[in-house]
Amino acid sequence: MPNQDAMTDKTVLNRYLALPQGERVQALYIWIDGSGEGLRSKTKTLETIPKSVDELPIWNYDGSSTYQAQGSNSDTYLHPVKIYPDPFRGGNNIMVMCDTYKYNKEPTDTNHRKSCLEVMQKAKEEHP
């Protein structure tokens, strides 16, 4: 026999996910934490649907809670790099892949995407 509580939870969740959002969009910012293995996220509500990643704001968080900063100068910044449709929240909601930067604008230790992009740009004319 199915668990009634689980069925109720899904029904309630689906009802809330189906509520109209108007022009607003939930943007789920996602990044790699200081362990280099864990994913972190937080959601920002935007007033309009962004047409490109350049329209998304840089956002900050306390990097000491994600092993990316010491207690002092722990502000860490999320720089959006890629947008994907959010398959979980549906609608016009998006998932935003982010690079992370320290308070001094240097990449965090687990921000390998920045150096990878630099290398790939240098080698873009190379052919195997």
Side-chain angles (χ1 to χ4, degrees):
M1 178 193 284
N3 180 339
Q4 290 298 89
D5 292 333
M7 288 178 19
T8 302
D9 287 347
K10 290 176 184 172
T11 302
V12 171
L13 175 62
N14 288 336
R15 187 172 66 195
Y16 283 104
L17 287 173
L19 288 173
Q21 292 179 207
E23 291 295 313
R24 291 190 172 140
V25 174
Q26 293 180 35
L28 180 68
Y29 280 54
I30 302 169
W31 70 96
I32 298 170
D33 71 10
S35 73
E37 298 176 4
L39 290 177
R40 302 291 181 130
S41 68
K42 66 183 205 172
T43 301
K44 185 173 198 67
T45 301
L46 306 173
E47 294 300 320
T48 59
I49 301 166
K51 293 176 182 60
S52 75
V53 73
D54 297 328
E55 294 181 11
L56 292 168
I58 294 172
W59 202 10
N60 72 317
Y61 63 96
D62 179 358
S64 65
S65 64
T66 61
Y67 318 111
Q68 292 174 297
Q70 300 298 320
S72 61
N73 295 325
S74 63
D75 282 348
T76 307
Y77 296 88
L78 297 169
H79 289 244
V81 294
K82 185 71 176 171
I83 299 173
Y84 296 98
D86 187 334
F88 305 105
R89 294 180 178 161
N92 292 320
N93 298 309
I94 57 175
M95 297 189 318
V96 182
M97 302 300 124
C98 298
D99 280 343
T100 53
Y101 289 85
K102 299 176 190 176
Y103 70 96
N104 60 3
K105 300 182 181 175
E106 293 292 319
T108 59
D109 294 340
T110 55
N111 180 359
H112 302 299
R113 197 174 8 227
K114 180 184 182 300
S115 58
C116 178
L117 179 61
E118 290 170 356
V119 169
M120 297 304 283
Q121 289 297 326
K122 288 178 184 177
K124 69 181 178 182
E125 300 301 322
E126 299 295 322
H127 299 283

